[in-house]
Amino acid sequence: MAEAVITMDGWCTLHDTRTFDWSSWKMTSEQERSEAIAEFEQLMTKWEQTEEEKKGSQSIYKVVGNKADLLFIFLRPSMDELEEIKREINKSKIGDYLIPGYSYVSIVEMTMHNPMDEGKDRVLDPRVEARLKPILPRWEHACFYPMARRRNEEANWFEIDKAERTRLLYDHGMTGRKYAGKVKEIITGSIGLDEWEWGVTLFAHDPLQFKKIVYEMRFDEVTTKYAEFGDFIIGNYLAKEAVATYFAL
Amino acid sequence: MAEAVITMDGWCTLHDTRTFDWSSWKMTSEQERSEAIAEFEQLMTKWEQTEEEKKGSQSIYKVVGNKADLLFIFLRPSMDELEEIKREINKSKIGDYLIPGYSYVSIVEMTMHNPMDEGKDRVLDPRVEARLKPILPRWEHACFYPMARRRNEEANWFEIDKAERTRLLYDHGMTGRKYAGKVKEIITGSIGLDEWEWGVTLFAHDPLQFKKIVYEMRFDEVTTKYAEFGDFIIGNYLAKEAVATYFAL
Amino acid sequence: MAEAVITMDGWCTLHDTRTFDWSSWKMTSEQERSEAIAEFEQLMTKWEQTEEEKKGSQSIYKVVGNKADLLFIFLRPSMDELEEIKREINKSKIGDYLIPGYSYVSIVEMTMHNPMDEGKDRVLDPRVEARLKPILPRWEHACFYPMARRRNEEANWFEIDKAERTRLLYDHGMTGRKYAGKVKEIITGSIGLDEWEWGVTLFAHDPLQFKKIVYEMRFDEVTTKYAEFGDFIIGNYLAKEAVATYFAL
Amino acid sequence: MAEAVITMDGWCTLHDTRTFDWSSWKMTSEQERSEAIAEFEQLMTKWEQTEEEKKGSQSIYKVVGNKADLLFIFLRPSMDELEEIKREINKSKIGDYLIPGYSYVSIVEMTMHNPMDEGKDRVLDPRVEARLKPILPRWEHACFYPMARRRNEEANWFEIDKAERTRLLYDHGMTGRKYAGKVKEIITGSIGLDEWEWGVTLFAHDPLQFKKIVYEMRFDEVTTKYAEFGDFIIGNYLAKEAVATYFAL
Amino acid sequence: MAEAVITMDGWCTLHDTRTFDWSSWKMTSEQERSEAIAEFEQLMTKWEQTEEEKKGSQSIYKVVGNKADLLFIFLRPSMDELEEIKREINKSKIGDYLIPGYSYVSIVEMTMHNPMDEGKDRVLDPRVEARLKPILPRWEHACFYPMARRRNEEANWFEIDKAERTRLLYDHGMTGRKYAGKVKEIITGSIGLDEWEWGVTLFAHDPLQFKKIVYEMRFDEVTTKYAEFGDFIIGNYLAKEAVATYFAL
């Protein structure tokens, strides 16, 4: 039996996609639409205050293609807050037009696979704190996808030695480092919480970099042999200042 | 042919998820909403009386993410009662807004795999009675997922010796014991009743423990080689006292 | 090439699940509801007459869980009658509230696998007639699931010898006999008619017996190596006398 | 690399399933219903004229079970006509009640696998013309299913020799010949056009023959080792004379 | 570890399918319909201007079968423009009837697998520019399908040598060349952007050529061993001049 990995865990995370019901929105009066947008901007302001107080973070993305229209990403210290935020959106005026779609529940995760980290007291390291409770970068584009590790006869991630797992992930990390400054990444774990095992959230100024990094990593041994991927979704950052324009008819 | 397992079976169980139709709820008058909530609280009171009489148990959870809004768990002596409860919810006023989603039908199950239990007369053991007809703990969080055992050429759970199955499950149980006081578990069997073969319902004060226990168990040989998992759903406990607030606009 | 099996075939069978639209039903006037129920009871009476004339059989079950609310099982000499019955339900008043769900089209089937049956003239045997044109037992619970046999490199049901298939099914039948008096079974074949290859419909006084028999059979070699299962659905018998109560608000 | 097969290709084919919206239909006035039926009968008359001019063929089937209510099969020389027919149905009055379901786009196909056909000039053969541009038989029942050939390590249809493919298909054809007079078959190819690789449309006077032929063929080596099947749908022929009765309330 | 491929990347691409809501369209007044069509034609005119300025390209296709009614293909320099176009359609009058369906997000891609291209400075080659920023041909028919390369134990595309990958793709290209003048092809990559790994968009005067080329290529070693395919969708070109007729009742 392989030695189980030890993780450090941070904020609870909700990826929440919504399709906007434009037909119903158009049948709503201009006054009601204005009120709905204003109320939504107030919600965003409240969320920003939470972020300023270092009690969470969030971003909204305009999704490309028909999988959804908006992707919300929320990080909070507790699952209670994530459920309350969902409910607050649904109870709000604009919530009537934000039809819930695919969502993903997970917790920010760091593993001890990097051999250079062995023996260090990471809990006290401020960089660790920053990674476990990350403030989402306001980069122009985001990409989300869930993944899992294979448990097949010929390739069973959970059966191989911890040292081998560390080596494979180290090589994988080396590929990632080539994209420093171009791609930021947050890993969240969903084992016991949602489908798949991990969620990968990427940020970039140029969405071509999502294609380049994921493509190059597909040749990494850890991916080639052990990775299974769910669906990918990409979106463009929606700033609070652009919300009124987004919903304007 | 491997020797079939002998099970002890308890209460029939229904996991019933619902999405709340907030848009229609908002279009309902305040008086109708109050009546609907009051009627629902009376239903809950009736269910609580059943529990006090040791004729069943139940809990409601606020689901995180968009898979559902509420997860009901009902345990009753008969399948008839489970169908009647579903119908009673659907006929109630608030039932119009509780759109049925994924559900899971099973029966509380104990197996004889623990070698220390061999030869004991478990039927008369009050602890066995308590496990077969369990009162759900009012812990803050619940997690549900269905699972099955593989029947592949290279890993066929139903072909291996009973002694080997017992050993694998014993090791698995040892991992579980590390979480005593942190995670409670109810196993229900759904072979012949629903998709998958078993349902696992976990309870915790801290939802991070769901991730930790399922993650660590993924390295157990019985999981690594033989387990297939369905989707995971987690929720936060909804007390009767909090129902009015939950539905308040 | 393995010798193809020879089947005896009986009545055409339709398993038809429906979700009841309680929200719309509540918006219907009491008089319209009464008329709809009365018309539905007349339909049931007509179906019962068909059964008395030995020209078919049927039963209705209240489904546990959210997969459906009602499961209709119809057996008739022809596929034309099965389509007409579906249409008659849809055209009826209550049909507006019976939203069609999963269905399964098959034909009652007996195979010649039992070695004790070789050489007998089964066509003239009245017990064969009774099994090919069965009157459904009015037992309290029913269970339905579809299944198929594997066609893999390592386990290909359609490639192994007829004698081996007979042996495997004979052992399987021995497990079934232990449940005589507790579980009744009807096998229908759907090759060329619907997804999967066979449908299994079980009847029991105690639904725990569904779990026990399917669980024990999972250790039979024919299941362990060759069986694939679809979804399971269980329900509680709905007598005509209970119909008005079922739909009462 | 195995030698690619050479096909002869005929009419473009659309299998188009529809669910009838009986609830909305009942809310329509009798006059509107009469007009909708009359307009639909005129459409059918126009289609029949196309068939009389040998410029296409079509049939409508009443589907058994809840997968659909009606199955339309259209054959035409061009994909343009198939799209226009779909649009014409959708624009018609009755189109408002014919909710589109599963469809399948393909082209009638003959392959050169029969060794007796080698070297013949089949293009000039009138029987070939009749098979590539077939007039659908007005037999009482139809069955449709899509299929594909496996491309696995252990069984890869597209890697084996053309001679071996020819032998396997010849044996398969021999099974089919046993059903001459009982079952008619049209093979259409959908590689590059739709999911799966081929569509099989069967016609019979007795739907039991669908079960018998597909069951027996499942023991053919080409099926046992190389075939994957999609879903099966069966229906009963709907003549123009029976249309008014079909839709009558 | 195999050497990762180097790609050249061009315009961002959106394949966007829509089902037209004919029932609601018929309930709209003739004046509103005229206005909606006129507004849509203006949108098309704006898109055409973008194409004339070499800042993008697009085409609309009438889909055969029920998967969708219309397929839009948009190519633009940025993902921002693709999201804005989707939103512009949804905000337009006719957008109320264009129900979003399956979509696919990707980027035009060229790989360096052709051995004859090694060492050339392709960036300066105007033919490369034309392929990375392609103006869609106005051929009568289009076909779209997504695909991926296998990562199995016995066939793992991302593990084999770059030279072997080049050889396999070269042979594949040779099959494609036989269809010069009959089929045009645009390859887009979706790794990191959407499900599957590549999208293939074909254009032809005769849709039979879609079947012929994909069928013949299925025998290519690279397909036989390494390819997995998603669903195929085909459509007939819709010129701006034909839009009014398309929507006319």
Side-chain angles (χ1 to χ4, degrees), chain B residues 30 72 128 177 184:
Chain B
E30 186 165 351
F72 294 83
V128 168
R177 276 183 209 196
K184 284 196 186 177

Side-chain angles (χ1 to χ4, degrees), chain B residues 9 91 96 151 194 197, chain C residues 26 67 211 218 223 248:
Chain B
D9 300 276
K91 286 185 179 181
D96 287 7
R151 288 185 291 114
D194 211 323
E197 297 175 337
Chain C
K26 290 176 204 171
K67 282 173 195 166
K211 180 167 175 283
R218 198 141 298 183
T223 306

